[in-house]
Amino acid sequence: MKINDVILKTVSQAGVLIILTFGVYLFLSGHNQPGGGFIGGLVLATAFVLMFLTFDSDTVNKAIPFDFKKISAIGVLLAFSSSTVPMFFGQPFMSQSFGYFNLPIFGKTELATVTIFETGVALTVIGVVVNIITSISEDE
């Protein structure tokens, strides 16, 4: 007998949208307020975990054709490279810089290199958490 889980799937789709929006907000507010790559990555990873819990792995893998091991490796590479590049310019390890730019829609906006580091951290956290959850779920 097949279980009718239409309500679960519908509510979780709305929940995933809300969780993804909140995760992006936490990520983007990270260098000026509490938040950042780690907590934003954890929140974003919970959206993927919710999808894996609601739908079967094959459906999620078809909808999101990412290899999360590669995502975590790209994240580590991005965080490490953004930390070491300043050393080539005579700056200490993990030096960050920022500037104000006039962007067409947003106006005067601060752009910082810490966002590159935080992106690497977020990608690493997302990749590791989803890999752990999928590897646990595959063990039967």
Side-chain angles (χ1 to χ4, degrees), residues 85-104:
V85 164
M87 291 174 28
F88 297 115
F89 297 102
Q91 299 292 321
F93 179 69
M94 291 191 76
S95 293
Q96 303 295 328
S97 61
F98 68 95
Y100 292 95
F101 301 93
N102 285 320
L103 300 177

Side-chain angles (χ1 to χ4, degrees), residues 4-22:
N4 188 358
D5 54 358
V6 174
I7 295 174
L8 173 67
K9 289 182 178 181
T10 304
V11 170
S12 67
Q13 287 174 352
V16 163
L17 180 65
I18 292 168
I19 292 169
L20 288 174
T21 304
F22 183 60

Side-chain angles (χ1 to χ4, degrees), residues 43-118:
V43 171
L44 291 170
T46 59
F48 292 113
V49 171
L50 179 60
M51 286 191 292
F52 277 107
L53 289 173
T54 305
F55 303 97
D56 59 314
S57 296
D58 294 334
T59 304
V60 176
N61 287 332
K62 286 179 188 174
I64 306 169
F66 298 129
D67 183 7
F68 286 99
K69 291 176 184 160
K70 289 181 183 176
I71 287 177
S72 59
I74 290 170
V76 169
L77 181 66
L78 196 59
F80 179 73
S81 63
S82 71
S83 300
T84 55
V85 164
M87 291 174 28
F88 297 115
F89 297 102
Q91 299 292 321
F93 179 69
M94 291 191 76
S95 293
Q96 303 295 328
S97 61
F98 68 95
Y100 292 95
F101 301 93
N102 285 320
L103 300 177
I105 295 174
F106 301 107
K108 187 175 182 181
T109 306
E110 176 189 16
L111 296 176
T113 58
V114 71
T115 308
I116 300 169
F117 177 78
E118 294 290 346

